[in-house]
C-alpha cells in the first residue's frame, strides 16, 4: 500500500453479530451514553425508556425534580417495568406481572403481602440504579459499576475539537429549545455513520446544498480535520439555511469570532454536535443491530424562536437533506461490507486519515478486558 493510503477496518467489523455484541458490552455499556433531552421529562412522573447496549434503561423525573435512571427490570421476577417508550405516571411505577411497585426514585414501596415480609429491605430491592449526569440539557447515563470520568470520556472530545471546553459555552446549549426532532431508521452499522460524519471527502459528490453554504467542504476537508477550525460561510451566504438565506439572530452569548462559521464535534460513541451561529443540531445514535441504527436528531434554537412559533423550516431542511444524503450513502455501503471484495477492508485517503484514529480506538476497546 502506498504512503498516501492507509487501511480501514475489515468488512467483518460491520457485519459480524459477535463483534456487535462485544461493542454493546465493551463500548455502549461502559461509556457515557447521551440518552434523552432533559426537557422532554419536564414534570414529576415523566419517563422515557432507552436502549443502551443490551439493556433497557428507564429514565424518570422524581417528585423533587431530579432525574434518575434505572435498569428497566423488576427486582422480583425480572419483568420489564415499562414497555412504552415514553409516558407519565402519577406517583409510582408498577410491574404489570406481580404488581411490585416502585417510587419515582426507585425505592420499593409496595407489593402483594409485602407487610408480611418485614425483613425485605425496600432500598436494596428497589430498581437497579444507573449513573446519570446532565450536560448540554441532556441526560447522559453510564451502566458501568465504576463509571469512567465524564471529563475524560465526554468533555475531552470538545477540548480536542475546539481547543478548549470554553469554546462550546457561548452556544448555551442547555438553554436552547427543540424546534424540530426527526428520527431516522438507518439500515447500516453505527460505525459507517460515524466515519461518514467525520470526513468530507464525499461532500462535493452528495451534498450540493451544504457545499453551497460551506464552500471549503467541496475541497474534501471536514471541519473536524483541524483543531479549532470552523468552516466559513460563503461570501454571499446569509444563514445556515437550505437556500443560504437569512436565518435567525446570532445566539446571544456567542463570540463574534464564531459568527458565520460551522463547527462539528464527534463525541464517541454516539453523539454528533453541529454548531452554527443561530442554532445547534445534535444527533444521538442508538445501535439496535449490527446492520441497523436509530438516529434521533434535534434542531435546537433560542427559546424565544421556538416559543414565538417562528418558521424553522429552511434551517431544518438543510441538515435534514444532509442527513438523508449521508444515511443513503451508509445504507449503500452496508451490504458491501459482507462482500469478498471488502474482506480485508478498504482504504482511507489523506483527508480521511483521522478516521484511522477512530478505528484504532475501536479495536483497543474491543481488545480490552471485560
Amino acid at each position: 500500500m502506498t504512503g498516501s493510503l492507509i487501511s480501514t477496518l475489515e468488512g467483518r467489523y460491520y457485519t459480524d453479530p459477535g463483534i456487535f455484541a462485544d461493542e454493546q458490552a465493551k463500548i455502549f455499556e461502559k461509556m457515557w451514553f447521551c440518552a434523552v433531552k432533559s426537557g422532554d421529562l419536564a414534570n414529576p412522573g415523566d419517563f422515557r425508556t432507552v436502549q443502551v447496549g443490551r439493556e433497557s434503561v428507564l429514565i424518570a423525573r422524581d417528585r423533587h425534580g431530579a432525574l434518575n435512571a434505572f435498569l428497566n427490570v423488576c427486582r422480583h421476577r425480572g419483568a420489564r417495568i415499562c414497555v412504552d417508550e415514553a409516558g407519565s405516571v402519577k406517583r409510582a411505577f408498577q410491574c404489570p406481572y406481580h404488581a411490585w411497585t416502585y417510587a419515582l426514585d426507585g425505592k420499593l414501596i409496595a407489593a402483594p403481602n409485602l407487610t408480611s415480609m418485614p425483613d425485605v429491605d425496600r432500598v436494596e430491592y428497589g430498581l437497579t440504579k444507573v449513573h446519570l449526569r446532565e450536560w448540554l440539557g441532556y441526560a447522559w447515563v453510564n451502566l458501568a459499576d465504576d463509571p469512567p470520568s465524564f471529563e475524560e470520556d465526554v468533555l475531552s472530545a470538545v477540548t480536542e475539537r475546539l481547543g478548549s471546553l470554553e469554546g462550546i459555552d457561548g452556544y448555551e446549549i442547555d438553554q436552547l429549545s427543540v424546534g424540530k426532532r426527526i428520527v431516522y431508521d438507518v439500515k447500516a452499522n453505527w460505525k459507517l455513520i460515524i466515519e461518514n460524519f467525520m470526513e468530507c471527502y464525499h461532500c462535493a459528490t452528495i451534498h450540493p446544498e451544504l457545499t453551497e453554504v460551506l464552500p471549503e467542504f467541496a475541497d474534501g476537508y471536514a471541519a473536524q480535520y483541524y483543531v479549532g477550525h470552523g468552516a466559513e460561510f460563503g461570501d454571499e451566504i446569509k444563514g445556515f439555511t437550505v437556500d443560504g438565506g437569512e436565518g435567525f439572530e446570532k445566539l446571544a452569548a456567542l463570540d463574534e469570532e464564531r459568527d458565520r462559521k460551522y463547527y462539528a464535534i464527534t463525541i464517541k460513541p454516539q453523539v454528533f454536535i453541529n454548531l452554527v451561529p443561530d442554532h445547534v443540531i445534535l444527533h444521538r445514535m442508538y445501535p439496535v443491530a449490527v446492520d441497523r441504527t436509530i438516529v434521533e436528531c434535534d434542531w435546537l434554537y433560542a427559546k424565544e424562536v421556538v416559543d414565538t412559533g417562528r418558521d424553522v423550516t429552511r434551517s431544518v431542511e438543510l441538515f435534514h437533506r444532509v442527513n438523508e444524503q449521508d444515511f443513503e450513502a451508509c445504507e449503500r455501503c452496508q451490504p458491501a461490507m459482507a462482500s469478498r471484495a471488502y474482506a480485508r477492508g478498504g482504504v482511507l485517503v489523506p483527508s480521511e486519515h483521522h478516521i484511522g484514529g477512530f478505528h484504532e480506538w475501536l479495536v483497543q476497546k474491543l481488545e480490552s478486558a471485560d
Side-chain angles (χ1 to χ4, degrees), residues 257-268:
E257 66 181 81
R258 297 193 183 276
D259 196 11
R260 294 182 56 78
K261 292 180 180 178
Y262 163 88
Y263 298 84
I265 306 169
T266 301
I267 300 180
K268 297 188 290 288

Side-chain angles (χ1 to χ4, degrees), residues 194-305:
I194 284 193
E195 292 161 7
N196 172 277
F197 185 73
M198 291 180 73
E199 55 91 359
C200 212
Y201 190 47
H202 67 278
C203 287
T205 307
I206 69 172
H207 293 322
E209 299 88 358
L210 184 63
T211 53
E212 185 71 22
V213 173
L214 304 173
E216 68 183 73
F217 275 17
D219 295 329
Y221 285 92
Q224 295 182 77
Y225 195 79
Y226 306 101
V227 175
H229 176 73
E232 296 190 11
F233 292 6
D235 292 341
E236 304 301 318
I237 298 300
K238 296 180 179 179
F240 197 75
T241 59
V242 70
D243 58 6
E246 290 281 359
F248 302 107
E249 298 80 8
K250 178 171 65 71
L251 295 170
L254 193 64
D255 294 337
E256 288 295 330
E257 66 181 81
R258 297 193 183 276
D259 196 11
R260 294 182 56 78
K261 292 180 180 178
Y262 163 88
Y263 298 84
I265 306 169
T266 301
I267 300 180
K268 297 188 290 288
Q270 47 88 241
V271 173
F272 307 146
I273 302 176
N274 307 271
L275 306 169
V276 294
D278 63 339
H279 65 283
V280 171
I281 307 158
L282 192 144
H283 298 68
R284 285 167 286 150
M285 292 195 302
Y286 302 89
V288 294
V290 69
D291 57 357
R292 181 178 174 225
T293 308
I294 303 298
V295 182
E296 191 166 289
C297 187
D298 289 345
W299 281 259
L300 307 170
Y301 299 87
K303 191 173 185 296
E304 56 270 22
V305 169

